[in-house]
Amino acid sequence: ELKAKLEEIKKLNKEKYQQLLRSSSHANVFSTGFAQAEGVFGLRGFSEKYKKEKELEIDMELLTLKCKNAEQPEQQKLKSELQGVLNKLFDIREVQKLEEVKILEKRLQELKESLQVRKQKKDEIVQRRIQELLGDSKYLKWD
């Protein structure tokens, strides 16, 4: 199905098809389809969300091209379909952004904790660095 959609994009707008392939860092996924790419390119680890997002992006491009080439009555139907696809894509990307925020918040918390500990152990850290710089630490090494 994915390959058929890509072929349709290619028929409607060869330049857009080529742009899709070039702009993707996973061009092989687009050109071979997910099923083939999973085995050939080791994409078994890619999440279903990633696959769904890529499929929706292809649907978006196809619907956009169809809409541009359609007559008025058909255009409204295609716009409605395009809106549905864009809503799904938006939701997927918002979930990704939320996950990224959670990761960043966790990293920020870790950095704050590290700063607090380093602040408490400032003298010890400075003394250790002096020993390293002056070569006095050679007897303090484990090995």
Side-chain angles (χ1 to χ4, degrees):
E1 185 182 342
L2 180 64
K3 199 167 187 173
K5 289 177 181 178
L6 286 167
E7 287 299 321
E8 195 169 351
I9 290 172
K10 188 176 182 180
K11 286 177 190 172
L12 290 170
N13 188 329
K14 207 171 202 172
E15 188 176 318
K16 179 54 84 174
Y17 173 79
Q18 293 297 327
Q19 183 183 12
L20 263 176
L21 295 180
R22 279 192 306 270
S23 69
S24 173
S25 61
H26 305 288
N28 293 320
V29 175
F30 286 132
S31 63
T32 62
F34 284 114
Q36 293 168 337
E38 281 182 348
V40 176
F41 301 103
L43 296 177
R44 281 183 176 77
F46 276 79
S47 70
E48 287 301 315
K49 283 188 224 175
Y50 175 82
K51 291 178 186 179
K52 185 66 177 170
E53 180 182 8
K54 292 303 171 193
E55 289 172 3
L56 286 169
E57 286 175 2
I58 290 169
D59 288 346
M60 174 192 67
E61 293 295 345
L62 181 57
L63 286 168
T64 301
L65 290 171
K66 283 181 174 182
C67 194
K68 287 179 179 179
N69 295 322
E71 297 296 322
Q72 187 59 26
E74 179 71 10
Q75 207 174 47
Q76 272 312 110
K77 179 182 173 245
L78 291 169
K79 278 184 183 179
S80 177
E81 287 181 47
L82 181 59
Q83 182 175 356
V85 167
L86 289 173
N87 279 323
K88 289 176 187 176
L89 261 173
F90 183 88
D91 291 342
I92 288 172
R93 290 184 177 160
E94 289 302 295
V95 167
Q96 290 170 345
K97 287 178 189 255
L98 185 59
E99 289 171 0
E100 185 179 353
V101 166
K102 288 178 183 179
I103 290 169
L104 290 171
E105 285 174 341
K106 182 180 178 190
R107 178 70 178 130
L108 179 60
Q109 184 59 36
E110 290 169 356
L111 286 171
K112 284 180 178 181
E113 290 171 8
S114 173
L115 280 172
Q116 186 64 32
V117 170
R118 289 179 58 81
K119 186 177 181 181
Q120 292 170 353
K121 298 191 178 230
K122 175 184 174 183
D123 290 338
E124 183 182 333
I125 293 169
V126 169
Q127 288 303 316
R128 187 175 294 157
R129 184 63 178 148
I130 288 171
Q131 288 174 341
E132 288 173 2
L133 291 170
L134 298 177
D136 293 340
S137 62
K138 66 182 178 182
Y139 298 112
L140 299 175
K141 292 184 180 175
W142 186 259
D143 295 329

